[in-house]
Amino acid sequence: MAPTAPTTPTPPPSRRIDLSAPPEPYLSFWRERRVCTLTTLRPDGTPHVVPVGVTYDPEARVARVLARKTSRKVAHVLAAAGTEGPGARVAVCQFEGRRWATLEGLAEIRTEPTEIAEAERRYEERYGRRPSPNPDRVLIEISLTKALGKV
């Protein structure tokens, strides 16, 4: 009789995540130190995808991305927010192997020093280092409307 090969557990299927009660594996994945992507839309509607650091606040249903105020991603959010109403549609995503998580929502640019300081604190908590000082820093704050993933 031939030995049987060990079976690899079947990963859970991708699914929509309840923003009111995200499961612990999803939350845990968002606490891991990971480079993420931010997708914004250019004025012509094509996607602009860039690597970023993201923090996720499930209680407030908010994701935060620190950025330089002169960056293209900030320009895209500002341009889209002016045409789409209260915020620009964006998505942030992270993955490792077959595990992935996406947060979608409406982004706005925040410039209040207290909001930026809170975002820097959360960034340091997740990524283990304080962002270097930057007088041109702004916050892309995403009010979440949807979460998806496979963790």
Side-chain angles (χ1 to χ4, degrees):
M1 182 179 195
T4 58
T7 59
T8 304
T10 304
S14 59
R15 62 188 174 116
R16 190 165 184 161
I17 304 297
D18 181 357
L19 283 169
S20 299
E24 181 51 40
Y26 193 79
L27 295 173
S28 179
F29 190 49
W30 276 106
R31 287 189 294 266
E32 294 175 13
R33 183 181 174 155
R34 302 233 166 267
V35 173
C36 303
T37 61
L38 168 70
T39 302
T40 59
L41 297 177
R42 296 182 182 99
D44 68 2
T46 59
H48 177 252
V49 183
V50 294
V52 293
V54 176
T55 61
Y56 171 36
D57 181 350
E59 291 81 23
R61 291 188 186 186
V62 166
R64 294 175 178 89
V65 176
L66 295 168
R68 185 175 28 88
K69 67 182 173 184
T70 57
S71 68
R72 294 306 316 150
K73 58 187 162 282
V74 169
H76 296 155
V77 169
L78 290 170
T83 60
E84 295 182 14
R89 293 198 172 279
V90 301
V92 290
C93 182
Q94 66 178 21
F95 72 94
E96 177 195 41
R98 293 182 175 178
R99 297 188 311 155
W100 62 272
T102 298
L103 298 167
E104 298 179 15
L106 298 172
E108 64 178 311
I109 304 303
R110 305 288 302 264
T111 58
E112 303 92 336
T114 56
E115 296 299 323
I116 293 170
E118 176 63 12
E120 289 171 339
R121 183 192 69 75
R122 289 174 180 272
Y123 181 96
E124 182 177 21
E125 186 177 277
R126 181 174 190 198
Y127 291 98
R129 68 172 189 83
R130 186 100 179 145
S132 56
N134 182 347
D136 291 334
R137 181 168 289 136
V138 297
L139 169 61
I140 300 173
E141 185 176 80
I142 307 163
S143 298
L144 301 175
T145 57
K146 186 187 289 186
L148 305 162
K150 182 174 167 179
V151 292

